Amino acid sequence: MQINFVDLNKQYNHIKSEVDGAIQRVIKNSSFIGGEEVCSFEEEFARYCDARYCVAVNSGTDALKFICLALGIKEGDEVILPVNTFIATALGVSSIGAIPVFVDCENDTYNIDTEKIEEKITSRTKAIIAVHLYGQPAEMDSVLSIAQRHRLYVIEDACQAHGAFYKTRRVGTFGIASAFSFYPGKNLGAYGDGGGVITNNAGIDEKIKKLREYGQEEKYVHTEMGTNSRLDGLQAAILRIKLKYLDEWNDKRKKVAAFYYESLNGLQINLPETRPERDHVYHLFVIETDKRNELLQYLKQKNIFCGIHYPIPLHYQGVYRGLAYKSGDFPVSELSASRILSLPIYPELEKEEIIYIKNAIDEFALTSVSPLVSIN
Ligand SMILES: *Cc1c(COP(=O)(O)O)cnc(C)c1O
């Protein structure tokens, strides 16, 4: 048996005729850039998130950058974000000259530790980015009340949490604007790069619609320092099909997770925690053990391919050396970076495959010199 970390081919096989038809339709109409598919996808994804606007762009990274620009965040301004996230969360901020300010994470959900946000706020702070990491929403009530107290914007990085609920609403409209990525491996993924901004704010919608298309007010009339960052017609057509399945696929991810909880329960490893009212859509299933590297290698020999999200916290990245953080500044993220392991999870993962993974982890526990030891 071989179990890949993600398997997009299985998913394609389920929706092959629909996808092939949509691709043919786009080619026939030559609507490669812009056009009906993109407009319809924007409408449908906005409706899905229960938001007024969706602006489709080229990537989640650009979505974050455009949100910062649309909010008037500029060089030297500070934006607070978790140190344990994919680097793009911070790049969206630093690419426009603003300064990312890092905060450690909760030791069981790996989301931003809201108790540690306020001590990072200065007179230059403009916004907080809440990342719904691994598919579980951040603690939005706390983030929103801190932001309100200090008159800051809240931006959501929902690139890993399409469709997840926080309390009674889906992520995407808790902040002033949210960034989504449609990178192929995400819960809602295109067949190439793609991203989107969700907002209820007409000004932000309008501004980003200009920014993504050469800063133009109308054809050949340019009023913003824009760029070219559009979602193409083929990607939009594919995303429209996949959006119809998103809830079903998220439910299947939850079923895979439930089966993992059940089968890995007796083992000495830490399983991911979820908090009440923070619906987890399991973009990733992250376990923790102090024999991480050994387990990773062992599973690889068994043709089970895992990931690490993320092996290097942002303050250790060379590109952020200039921010002058040091070892010990983020103890929870620093420790977990050496212990976390992401097991394969996707809607199409079969029960037999999960059993195969469970058995391999069992064997590892038996054969490794000392047993798997957990923190708790
Ligand atoms: C994927 C991702 C991004 C960036 O999205 P791209 O579409 O790859 O640019 C940003 N933040 C998080 C948390 C992500 O997982």
Side-chain angles (χ1 to χ4, degrees):
M1 202 177 287
Q2 171 167 331
I3 302 167
N4 294 328
F5 185 63
V6 282
D7 190 337
L8 297 172
N9 206 45
K10 268 192 193 163
Q11 188 189 63
Y12 170 63
N13 287 335
H14 284 302
I15 52 172
K16 184 175 186 316
S17 59
E18 278 182 278
V19 168
D20 293 356
I23 291 173
Q24 286 308 314
R25 199 166 68 229
V26 173
I27 295 173
K28 219 175 196 165
N29 298 334
S30 300
S31 52
F32 296 114
I33 301 291
E36 200 189 310
E37 299 285 349
V38 176
C39 282
S40 299
F41 173 69
E42 287 176 334
E43 274 173 37
E44 288 159 11
F45 193 58
R47 198 179 314 134
Y48 176 85
C49 297
D50 203 13
R52 238 182 279 166
Y53 308 103
C54 169
V55 194
V57 297
N58 182 254
S59 69
T61 309
D62 272 359
L64 285 158
K65 173 177 161 179
F66 290 156
I67 292 170
C68 290
L69 283 170
L71 292 175
I73 293 170
K74 43 185 198 319
E75 204 172 329
D77 287 346
E78 293 175 357
V79 177
I80 290 175
L81 56 104
V83 73
N84 177 40
T85 179
F86 181 54
I87 192 146
T89 314
L91 289 178
V93 172
S94 34
S95 64
I96 62 164
I99 302 160
V101 174
F102 301 138
V103 172
D104 210 351
C105 65
E106 299 170 331
N107 71 359
D108 51 357
T109 70
Y110 310 100
N111 264 317
I112 191 165
D113 185 343
T114 55
E115 306 262 298
K116 296 180 182 156
I117 291 177
E118 263 178 317
E119 63 201 53
K120 297 294 176 83
I121 296 173
T122 72
S123 58
R124 287 185 296 179
T125 309
K126 291 292 183 302
I128 304 169
I129 304 183
V131 182
H132 308 307
L133 198 70
Y134 306 155
Q136 179 171 198
E139 193 48 68
M140 292 312 293
D141 279 351
S142 311
V143 173
L144 290 166
S145 72
I146 293 166
Q148 197 173 29
R149 243 186 341 267
H150 297 272
R151 310 176 118 264
L152 305 173
Y153 292 119
V154 172
I155 300 166
E156 288 171 79
D157 179 340
C159 290
Q160 300 189 356
H162 318 67
F165 279 85
Y166 177 78
K167 299 197 163 170
T168 56
R169 277 158 51 205
R170 288 187 202 278
V171 297
T173 55
F174 291 94
I176 181 98
S178 329
F180 286 84
S181 166
F182 306 122
Y183 175 81
K186 301 291 165 93
N187 288 31
L188 178 62
Y191 288 176
D193 270 314
V197 173
I198 284 286
T199 184
N200 282 329
N201 184 300
I204 292 176
D205 170 67
E206 207 176 300
K207 176 107 177 182
I208 297 179
K209 279 187 174 136
K210 287 184 204 161
L211 289 173
R212 72 173 173 185
E213 195 149 30
Y214 321 114
Q216 66 189 16
E217 185 86 42
E218 54 187 278
K219 202 160 195 183
Y220 305 131
V221 179
H222 305 273
T223 53
E224 301 275 350
M225 197 58 78
T227 184
N228 177 352
S229 177
R230 299 172 294 206
L231 183 74
D232 67 65
L234 284 168
Q235 303 309 338
I238 291 162
L239 286 167
R240 288 185 69 198
I241 293 163
K242 291 178 108 190
L243 180 58
K244 294 187 294 178
Y245 293 94
L246 180 56
D247 284 341
E248 181 188 323
W249 287 339
N250 279 344
D251 282 343
K252 286 192 170 156
R253 286 175 181 271
K254 288 177 197 177
K255 290 217 174 83
V256 173
F259 197 54
Y260 268 138
Y261 282 111
E262 213 180 287
S263 20
L264 301 178
N265 196 17
L267 295 170
Q268 294 290 309
I269 50 178
N270 290 358
L271 299 176
E273 294 280 334
T274 57
R275 298 279 170 84
E277 309 204 87
R278 282 157 66 172
D279 170 43
H280 199 322
V281 292
Y282 294 101
H283 173 59
L284 296 169
F285 192 89
V286 177
I287 64 169
E288 225 186 289
T289 159
D290 54 6
K291 293 201 160 302
R292 193 270 310 278
N293 292 342
E294 293 91 330
L295 181 58
L296 180 69
Q297 285 315 312
Y298 188 84
L299 294 177
K300 199 166 156 188
Q301 282 165 24
K302 298 273 169 186
N303 286 323
I304 300 164
F305 297 92
C306 299
I308 298 172
H309 301 87
Y310 294 91
I312 307 173
L314 297 188
H315 67 300
Y316 285 154
Q317 296 288 352
V319 74
Y320 290 126
R321 204 169 294 143
L323 297 177
Y325 288 104
K326 54 190 189 315
S327 178
D329 283 348
F330 306 100
V332 178
S333 300
E334 288 168 21
L335 180 65
S336 70
S338 64
R339 296 169 44 88
I340 49 178
L341 181 73
S342 311
L343 297 179
I345 191 164
Y346 35 91
E348 300 78 16
L349 198 66
E350 308 278 351
K351 218 162 205 171
E352 301 77 69
E353 294 174 311
I354 304 171
I355 292 170
Y356 180 74
I357 297 168
K358 176 227 176 349
N359 289 341
I361 296 175
D362 277 349
E363 279 165 36
F364 173 78
L366 286 174
T367 55
S368 65
V369 210
S370 60
L372 288 167
V373 182
S374 83
I375 251 186
N376 298 337

